[in-house]
């Protein structure tokens, strides 16, 4: 009798477990009785970049590892002081790499000969005043920075521009659905699905600016230009 009762309880619990699982993973379906166009409209917005991201650093060479590291540290302290004098905030200065590498002379049929060491100390700097960033770079070179890469021009707060692109994408999707409806002798009954499939916020690759201090121009200029931001949607309509 106990075995029969236990089996009955287990059988009764099975539907409950299935119901619990169904509640955890709900499936939503919408029935479309008319014509269904699936569209992928893209909206665009343009903005002038307001931040320049540049890598600046020092590379030093010395017969000893200690000498190379110390020389790099001394130069970097002068570079950091120049950045602070220029008004660059600490949150916009980040150490990106520190390295020390031995240098060898290779002669055929002889073991490599250690000739010295190269030390590198690199910073990533965000310039929020693009117009004056060139002048600051010139000052950094004078203080010992002998390696510069960049700039990457970007937009600090792109959400407003992305929202503008989203609104344009929705308008484009509606206009295209209306076009299909008119061509088919139908009307747009409703929007069934809207989802964001991707955005394109391009950051151009850094332009090579690696240079020795003596080769740095006296008046470096950086032009911001414009950047295009894109948002692509997936939209499903019902035409009747």
């Amino acid at each position: 009798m106990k075995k029969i009762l236990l089996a009955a309880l287990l059988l009764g619990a099975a539907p409950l477990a299935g119901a619990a699982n169904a509640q955890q993973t709900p499936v939503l379906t919408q029935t479309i009785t008319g014509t269904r166009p699936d569209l992928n409209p893209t909206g665009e917005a343009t903005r002038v970049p307001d931040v320049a991201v540049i890598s600046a650093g020092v590379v030093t060479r010395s017969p000893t590892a200690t000498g190379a590291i110390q020389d790099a540290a001394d130069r970097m302290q002068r570079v950091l002081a120049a950045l602070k004098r220029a008004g660059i905030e600490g949150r916009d200065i980040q150490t990106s790499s520190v390295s020390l590498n031995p240098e060898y002379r290779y002669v055929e049929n002889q073991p490599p000969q250690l000739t010295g060491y190269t030390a590198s100390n690199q910073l990533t700097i965000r310039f929020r005043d693009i117009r004056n960033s060139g002048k600051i770079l010139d000052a950094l070179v004078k203080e010992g920075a002998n390696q510069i890469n960049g700039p990457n021009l970007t937009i600090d707060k792109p959400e407003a521009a992305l929202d503008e692109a989203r609104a344009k994408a929705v308008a484009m999707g509606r206009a295209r659905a209306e076009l299909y409806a008119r061509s088919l002798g139908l009307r747009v009954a409703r929007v069934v699905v809207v989802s964001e499939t991707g955005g394109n916020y391009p950051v151009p690759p850094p332009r090579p600016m690696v240079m020795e201090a003596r080769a740095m121009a006296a008046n470096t200029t950086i032009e911001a230009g414009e950047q295009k931001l894109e948002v692509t949607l997936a939209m499903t309509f019902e035409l009747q």
Side-chain angles (χ1 to χ4, degrees):
M1 182 66 180
K2 291 182 179 180
K3 292 182 179 180
I4 296 174
L5 180 59
L6 179 60
L9 289 174
L10 290 174
L11 289 173
L16 293 176
N21 290 334
Q23 290 178 357
Q24 292 175 0
T25 57
V27 177
L28 301 177
T29 59
Q30 296 189 54
T31 302
I32 298 178
T33 58
T35 301
R36 169 183 165 173
D38 296 318
L39 307 177
N40 294 104
T42 298
E44 299 178 354
T46 58
R47 291 291 188 276
V48 175
D50 54 7
V51 173
V53 181
I54 294 174
S55 173
V58 298
V59 177
T60 60
R61 294 173 178 83
S62 175
T64 66
T66 302
I69 292 176
Q70 188 61 54
D71 190 10
D74 293 342
R75 289 194 188 188
M76 184 52 68
Q77 288 302 315
R78 298 201 304 270
V79 168
L80 289 170
L83 288 171
K84 292 180 179 179
R85 288 195 301 270
I88 306 298
E89 298 182 18
R91 62 176 179 146
D92 292 327
I93 305 172
Q94 184 179 51
T95 299
S96 55
S97 69
V98 176
S99 65
L100 176 69
N101 296 293
E103 292 185 334
Y104 295 94
R105 179 186 298 116
Y106 295 93
V107 180
E108 189 175 359
N109 298 326
Q110 294 185 18
Q113 298 178 6
L114 179 65
T115 59
Y117 293 85
T118 299
S120 174
N121 195 331
Q122 302 293 321
L123 298 174
T124 298
I125 310 162
R126 292 167 62 89
F127 294 100
R128 299 180 184 274
D129 185 357
I130 294 179
R131 293 175 300 177
N132 291 324
S133 56
K135 295 179 181 179
I136 299 174
L137 290 177
D138 293 337
L140 296 184
V141 170
K142 291 178 182 178
E143 294 298 335
N146 57 2
Q147 193 171 69
I148 295 175
N149 293 276
N152 281 337
L153 300 179
T154 185
I155 299 170
D156 187 34
K157 297 179 179 180
E159 280 306 314
L162 290 171
D163 286 345
E164 179 183 328
R166 292 181 180 107
K168 290 182 177 179
V170 169
M172 180 179 294
R174 285 184 173 276
R176 195 171 298 169
E178 292 285 354
L179 173 64
Y180 287 137
R182 288 194 304 270
S183 301
L184 296 170
L186 302 172
R187 65 177 181 84
V188 177
R190 61 175 175 148
V191 180
V192 180
V193 175
V194 177
S195 65
E196 194 166 309
T197 62
N200 183 11
Y201 180 21
V203 177
R207 290 172 286 182
M209 289 179 62
V210 181
M211 59 197 74
E212 296 295 332
R214 62 178 179 272
M216 189 70 176
N219 296 298
T220 303
T221 59
I222 295 176
E223 300 296 337
E226 276 191 346
Q227 282 187 358
K228 179 167 56 176
L229 298 87
E230 296 181 347
V231 172
T232 300
L233 304 178
M235 301 184 70
T236 297
F237 294 83
E238 182 178 1
L239 310 183
Q240 292 182 352

